[in-house]
């Protein structure tokens, strides 16, 4: 009898939707790096409202889309965007790279180059790989949303081809779910007759500011239910998300923790560092329109996995 | 005892990978609208080679990408591409539409318009909705590949926004898995302060010929393992797919069945109708490089679901 009951329980557990299991887990086990507070609560409220079939805001699993800015939202952007560091550190080879790009650097070569650099480059403050500097609380949000059938996208002002190199390993996000600033490519044939794609110096999508909703339309084709950002470059993406019907989650990360990471705004009297600018006007828009501002200092128990 | 055995069997069945179950099913139940022959066999061989962990050509589930041209490959393109019919039938309203597009037709309005037209428009030959004219054998291939963890994409020369309107309903393919010829959009605000995206008369991606691999790189970011087409516009997409390592499936639909659908080429002496052109040169390239040509007449038991 015991064994039969156990088997029945196993079967029942298997039949129980994953989303319901996620919902029933304690909030501590779901987002362990978050302190209790309005930000954590906003995430839980949103997920519950959109996965509960009885809710007026229920969203079909196949319609669940969440978008995340990368620099400053998913990982560190100070003292300088990682991609800019990549370009600067490549200066000795830069002329060659530029020449190669213009005369036929293939998308495969670019991928290999960028991957190689990421494997050895270190952030000056923590002396760790850039790929270790993803924010642990955001990694938990990505997983929590995916466990509840949300398809998670990166929508970044950074280079699409660059971010795609590591997005799988760092965030569990496949290349086709990375939308970023993108240049054109040109199809051609090598001497061996094999086809290849060459990176072209032609801008197709400037995925910043208004370019974010435009990029979302081009690459995803529907409006997200959740959007996460940290700067004025994310404003239109959050507005576009907010303008949809039903429950929508709009969150902005505020970098107010100089001790554990960096402090910059200039919202809330924080220093204006020109990188990842969060203006007082954006802060006002967030407050007025019910977007949630995440305080790194108060809302995050820890910042990085290695802490 | 019987009940316990039954429960055990249920559990064992649930633990058995879906892919293995698909593989074990008889070929008749998997692709019932296909006649036995080289084309059907090529599909089975490809799937088995890429889902079997013991195979040298094994592909991780998360890497399984398959791309399908639409017009002439997934549905009827004669006597004229459906989207062109849409534009022509809208002639009385065309000036208004053009004007609206130029002065602020939103992406939502476009979607509503196109959807409305598709609900009532009929194909002149079968007097049925265009959305009923999807090829049943290809719907079975889409399902078979998806059952084996392949992510299926449409890569069409048609308008991306147009195809996205019905791709979910007709093919089970969500908007973000439709890559097509795409124009730009422009983000702005209405009188009520609400943001909207306006369609712009600016071409971002011409998803034909070399534009197909370029579009695949832009929107998917990795090389497909399987590619299906039917015309010279699909040549580069199949070449790009073929140039990857390991097992790759390259298939071209040949319209050689005037009785049940249409006959056109001009490959194999079929009439040259200028729409969905399949040249003798493409036929030669297919034969030389081991691509599989699907004969609608010989390989397909039936063409449409309603037959």
């Amino acid at each position: 009898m015991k064994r039969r009951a156990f088997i029945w329980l196993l079967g029942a557990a298997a039949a129980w939707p994953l989303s319901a299991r996620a919902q029933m887990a304690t909030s501590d086990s779901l987002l362990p790096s978050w302190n209790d507070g309005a930000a954590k609560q906003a995430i839980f409220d949103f997920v519950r409202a959109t996965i509960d079939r009885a809710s007026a805001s229920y969203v079909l699993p196949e319609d669940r889309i969440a978008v995340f800015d990368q620099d400053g939202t998913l990982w560190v952007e100070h003292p300088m965007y990682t991609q800019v560091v990549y370009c600067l550190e490549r200066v000795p080879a830069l002329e060659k790279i530029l020449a190669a790009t213009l005369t036929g650097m293939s998308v495969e070569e670019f991928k290999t180059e960028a991957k190689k650099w990421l494997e050895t480059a270190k952030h000056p403050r923590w002396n760790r790989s850039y790929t270790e500097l993803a924010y642990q609380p955001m990694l938990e949000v990505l997983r929590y949303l995916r466990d509840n059938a949300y398809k998670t996208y990166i929508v970044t002002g950074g280079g699409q081809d660059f971010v795609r190199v590591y997005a799988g390993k760092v965030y569990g996000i496949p290349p086709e779910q990375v939308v970023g600033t993108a240049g054109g490519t040109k199809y051609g044939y090598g001497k061996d007759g094999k086809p290849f794609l060459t990176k072209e110096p032609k801008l197709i999508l400037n995925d910043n500011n208004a370019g974010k909703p435009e990029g979302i339309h081009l690459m995803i084709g529907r409006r997200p239910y959740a959007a996460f950002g940290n700067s004025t470059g994310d404003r239109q993406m959050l507005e576009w998300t907010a303008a949809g019907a039903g429950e929508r989650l709009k969150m902005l990360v505020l970098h107010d923790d100089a001790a554990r990471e960096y402090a910059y705004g200039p919202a809330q009297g924080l220093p204006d560092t020109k990188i990842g600018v969060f203006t007082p006007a954006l802060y006002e828009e967030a407050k007025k329109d019910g977007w949630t501002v995440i305080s790194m200092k108060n809302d995050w128990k820890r910042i990085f996995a290695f802490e």
Side-chain angles (χ1 to χ4, degrees), chain A:
Chain A
M1 278 301 285
K2 263 186 188 164
R3 173 167 292 199
R4 274 176 67 178
F6 178 71
I7 289 170
W8 179 87
L9 267 172
L10 268 183
W16 201 18
L18 262 175
S19 60
R21 275 182 277 167
Q23 203 183 354
M24 296 297 288
T26 69
S27 63
D28 273 357
S29 71
L30 286 173
L31 298 175
S33 301
W34 290 72
N35 290 315
D36 289 335
K40 186 179 180 176
Q41 197 56 48
I43 299 169
F44 284 137
D45 289 348
F46 165 76
V47 170
R48 280 169 191 157
T50 56
I51 68 171
D52 177 3
R53 282 171 195 277
S55 155
S57 305
Y58 175 70
V59 178
L60 288 169
E62 60 268 30
D63 291 335
R64 295 179 196 162
I65 303 276
V67 291
F68 294 79
D69 167 59
Q70 196 211 192
D71 292 308
T73 299
L74 290 179
W75 78 354
V76 173
E77 65 185 350
H78 271 235
M80 184 50 75
Y81 304 118
T82 303
Q83 192 177 358
V84 174
V85 180
Y86 168 62
C87 291
L88 292 175
E89 290 200 358
R90 300 289 306 160
V91 163
L94 199 62
E95 266 182 69
K96 197 175 136 240
I97 283 186
L98 274 174
T101 306
L102 294 172
T103 58
M105 190 181 195
S106 77
V107 297
E108 309 290 347
E109 284 163 350
F110 176 84
K111 199 156 75 176
T112 308
E113 278 282 340
K115 205 177 158 193
K116 213 171 78 185
W117 180 81
L118 283 161
E119 277 164 10
T120 53
K122 303 274 187 207
H123 189 283
R125 174 163 167 184
W126 289 279
N127 195 35
R128 288 186 176 265
S129 295
Y130 288 94
T131 51
E132 290 179 85
L133 297 179
Y135 303 133
Q136 178 60 26
M138 294 305 288
L139 295 178
E140 294 166 7
V141 172
L142 284 170
R143 164 175 284 193
Y144 176 51
L145 287 173
R146 287 198 289 255
D147 282 349
N148 286 285
Y150 275 90
K151 214 164 173 175
T152 54
Y153 280 82
I154 289 173
V155 178
T156 175
Q160 185 168 277
D161 283 346
F162 186 72
V163 178
R164 281 175 170 173
V165 171
Y166 54 82
K169 190 186 147 203
V170 178
Y171 309 113
I173 292 180
E176 64 270 23
Q177 283 163 231
V178 175
V179 178
T181 296
T185 56
K186 195 172 160 56
Y187 184 83
Y189 302 90
K191 282 176 195 156
D192 55 0
K194 267 204 156 193
F196 63 89
L197 286 173
T198 311
K199 284 176 79 72
E200 290 265 291
K202 184 185 76 178
L203 187 68
I204 286 190
L205 174 65
N206 180 1
D207 200 42
N208 277 301
N209 305 304
K212 290 210 173 191
E214 291 161 11
I216 288 170
H217 178 73
L218 177 68
M219 309 274 289
I220 311 178
R222 40 192 176 154
R223 198 190 298 263
Y225 279 87
F228 294 75
N230 79 299
S231 77
T232 52
D234 304 312
R235 182 168 68 84
Q236 290 88 340
M237 177 169 77
L238 267 70
E239 288 173 351
W240 179 244
T241 300
E247 203 69 25
R248 309 273 164 166
L249 183 64
K250 296 85 57 182
M251 303 196 91
L252 286 169
V253 175
L254 182 68
H255 294 258
D256 57 358
D257 193 336
R260 296 189 300 171
E261 202 241 9
Y262 294 98
Y264 50 98
Q268 301 299 89
L270 295 162
D272 182 0
T273 57
K274 312 292 180 202
I275 295 205
V277 173
F278 192 138
T279 59
L282 180 63
Y283 196 88
E284 282 314 304
E285 185 171 354
K287 287 289 150 192
K288 187 173 68 67
D289 293 339
W291 305 355
T292 305
V293 175
I294 299 165
S295 159
M296 288 183 79
K297 191 173 179 176
N298 301 319
D299 287 315
W300 289 359
K301 212 172 277 178
R302 61 174 183 165
I303 311 278
F304 304 113
F306 58 77
E307 277 173 27

